[in-house]
Every structure is written in C-alpha cells, then in structure tokens.
Amino acid sequence: MDFETKVLSKEIQQLLYDNGKTLGTAESCTGGRIAEAIIATPGASNYFKGGIICYTNEVKERLLQVSHQVLEEQTAVCEEVAKEMVAGACLALNCDFALSATGIAGPDGGTPGIPVGTIWLGYGSKDEVRTFKCTEDQGRDLNLNKATNQVLRLFLDYLKSQM
C-alpha cells in the first residue's frame, strides 16, 4: 500500500472517529482494496462497519438492493449502480457513510461503449451520494490503485465539507 493511501486513510479515520460516524464499502472491480486501505490504519474498528464485495449482479441486487432494471438497461458499470451501491451499503451495514466502486479494471472486458479503465466511484450517505468516473486505462493494477486513492480523496473532501 502506498504512502498516499495510508495518509488518506488516517485523515478519514480522524474525521469519522472525532464525529462519531461510521463507514462501510461496496466494491465490485476493486475487490476489497478500498476496505483494505481503510483498515490499514490502526483503530479502524472504531468506525469501519465492514464491506461487501459484490462482483456479480446477483450480489449487487440481493445484498445492496441495486435495481435489476438498471443493471439490465445500463449494465453494472454506470453512475446509477455506483449510487445505489452506496445507499445499499449504508442500509445493509447500518453505517452513516459508504464508498463504492464498479467498473472494468482490465485487461479485458471492455466494449466500445464502456472501455477498460472505466470505473464509477460513489461516496456519501444513503440520502446524498456523489459520483466520479475514472476513464483512463493504465493497466489493471494502476487502474485499481488510482480508483482506490481517488475515492478516498473525494470522500475525504466530502467529509470535510460535512463536518
């Protein structure tokens, strides 16, 4: 884990802990990397409720209440799914905030409409979800690392505006 990831995790921890708030994750393409970054900071059990790795649409629907219709019409790699994953994680894990990631990390699986490197990130609460779309393909490992750090950075800025 790189230094930036650890710094972001520590800053998020401080804000959540100081304000008595909790966090969860819902991850598809990142496969638990966001949760791993969060728990890298000792004391994460004071605010991190857990994570759901939802690699299949079935798990997205069943555990996170992601709309079957949205998955069918827009695929799992879309802004709406990232939003529904955040809201679903907040409900399933009974936490104040959640982070989500859904996309195509590569090296295969892309289409002309959704190329490799497309990763939708979500962050916020069940009532207010913000999103960000990663679009650059730098290879699977870098795509996943960049998405993890990006969602941590965005969430940290969001938390600072909320607290």
Side-chain angles (χ1 to χ4, degrees):
M1 185 166 310
D2 64 31
F3 181 71
E4 179 187 11
T5 307
K6 290 180 182 180
V7 170
L8 291 167
S9 178
K10 181 66 175 168
E11 289 185 50
I12 289 169
Q13 175 192 44
Q14 199 63 54
L15 282 170
L16 291 171
Y17 184 77
D18 288 351
N19 290 282
K21 299 295 183 183
T22 56
L23 178 64
T25 60
E27 302 182 63
S28 186
C29 63
T30 49
R33 286 182 185 220
I34 298 168
E36 179 185 23
I38 292 163
I39 65 144
T41 304
S45 61
N46 291 315
Y47 64 92
F48 184 63
K49 291 278 194 104
I52 297 170
I53 298 172
C54 48
Y55 227 64
T56 65
N57 287 351
E58 175 192 3
V59 175
K60 288 176 184 73
E61 288 181 51
R62 185 173 296 166
L63 297 182
L64 298 173
Q65 307 306 309
V66 172
S67 165
H68 178 77
Q69 182 176 350
V70 170
L71 289 166
E72 287 291 316
E73 292 174 2
Q74 299 181 44
T75 80
V77 185
C78 71
E79 182 177 28
E80 186 58 32
V81 169
K83 286 180 177 182
E84 290 184 16
M85 287 170 66
V86 168
C90 287
L91 292 172
L93 299 169
N94 190 31
C95 55
D96 298 302
F97 302 106
L99 308 175
S100 72
T102 184
I104 303 171
D108 303 320
T111 66
I114 306 173
V116 170
T118 304
I119 300 174
W120 277 99
L121 305 171
Y123 57 99
S125 67
K126 67 178 174 42
D127 299 317
E128 180 187 4
V129 181
R130 298 181 184 178
T131 60
F132 182 86
K133 183 181 183 183
C134 301
T135 57
E136 194 173 336
D137 179 19
Q138 296 184 332
R140 184 176 183 82
D141 286 340
L142 279 177
N143 292 346
L144 295 173
N145 186 56
K146 288 183 83 163
T148 298
N149 282 351
Q150 184 67 48
V151 78
L152 293 175
R153 244 184 265 109
L154 291 165
F155 182 61
L156 178 59
D157 289 344
Y158 169 82
L159 274 181
K160 287 178 179 177
S161 75
Q162 300 295 306
M163 307 287 172

